[in-house]
Amino acid sequence: MNERLALFPGSFDPFTNGHLSIVHRAAKLFDQVIIGVLFNTSKAMFLTPEERISLIQQSTANISNVLVVSSESGLTIDIAKEMGASFLIRGIRNSTDYEYERSIAYMNQQLDSNIESVFFMADNEYCNVSSSMIKEIAKFGGDVSRFIPPSVNDMIKKKYSSGDLH
Ligand code: ADP
């Protein structure tokens, strides 16, 4: 039987425990989960693609069937096809995510009906966690350690204390 490969695309700027929870759950369902770190050369990001990849690799090192790759933003289904993935994974935290993801999923279905979108409900503990909220709180010195993996917390602290921001 063909391997069931799933692509989990996102900006992951930074990777949070909410993302990690989705990865853990998806890794039980699929043979391989490919985390696709999307970068957009014209959009300012907090972390570089290399930093994001390294932090995700450290945070998922104990899950054997996870691969982290980066790709310039483009059509997600094209990236999935390039990777040989037949499934797209997305997380849903609230009704805003639902409406947004639903329209993208319908569009992707029109573009390629062989690629199936699979949605995971956010973990109750992390359903209010977003990368932008983490950045906002951390900027003002708030403690975000319970919402992000330890390596991400260390990197954020280092960035804000050194003023090394992208
Ligand atoms: P994007 O810019 O593509 O939305 P994100 O990194 O913000 O990238 O999110 C990637 C995916 O992870 C999206 O499907 C998003 O809904 C989901 N996600 C983000 N935060 C959480 C969370 N706390 N719990 C579950 N899913 C989440």
Side-chain angles (χ1 to χ4, degrees):
M1 207 179 92
N2 281 345
E3 276 222 309
R4 296 164 77 85
L5 266 58
L7 173 70
F8 182 30
S11 322
F12 307 114
D13 190 41
F15 193 69
T16 69
N17 286 343
H19 295 130
L20 185 58
S21 155
I22 304 281
V23 174
H24 270 292
R25 288 148 68 198
K28 291 186 196 150
L29 214 57
F30 298 101
D31 293 313
Q32 186 155 51
V33 174
I34 305 165
I35 304 177
V37 179
L38 305 186
F39 61 91
N40 184 338
T41 39
S42 58
K43 201 170 144 192
M45 285 282 170
F46 171 61
L47 300 173
T48 66
E50 293 74 24
E51 287 169 335
R52 284 181 269 156
I53 289 178
S54 161
L55 292 174
I56 299 172
Q57 279 170 338
Q58 291 174 57
S59 311
T60 58
N62 59 345
I63 319 172
S64 60
N65 56 337
V66 168
L67 183 71
V68 190
V69 301
S70 73
S71 176
E72 188 155 356
S73 294
L75 277 182
T76 312
I77 52 159
D78 286 343
I79 301 168
K81 274 192 257 184
E82 214 174 286
M83 303 283 163
S86 312
F87 302 92
L88 286 177
I89 297 170
R90 297 289 287 174
I92 295 197
R93 286 163 291 189
N94 48 40
S95 55
T96 310
D97 275 356
Y98 170 74
E99 290 300 338
Y100 176 71
E101 297 293 345
R102 186 177 64 158
S103 59
I104 293 180
Y106 281 136
M107 199 48 77
N108 283 337
Q109 204 172 54
Q110 301 293 316
L111 293 171
D112 189 339
S113 58
N114 292 317
I115 296 189
E116 192 68 52
S117 296
V118 178
F119 301 98
F120 286 82
M121 297 303 290
D123 194 302
N124 203 21
E125 207 179 328
Y126 303 123
C127 64
N128 292 309
V129 175
S130 65
S131 299
S132 48
M133 187 202 75
I134 296 292
K135 286 180 276 198
E136 199 60 22
I137 297 175
K139 190 162 89 180
F140 296 109
D143 178 12
V144 284
S145 57
R146 91 191 80 147
F147 305 123
I148 50 180
S151 53
V152 177
N153 196 42
D154 291 347
M155 171 72 88
I156 286 186
K157 278 207 231 156
K158 202 176 90 191
K159 288 244 169 197
Y160 280 120
S161 62
S162 67
D164 170 25
L165 295 172
H166 296 274

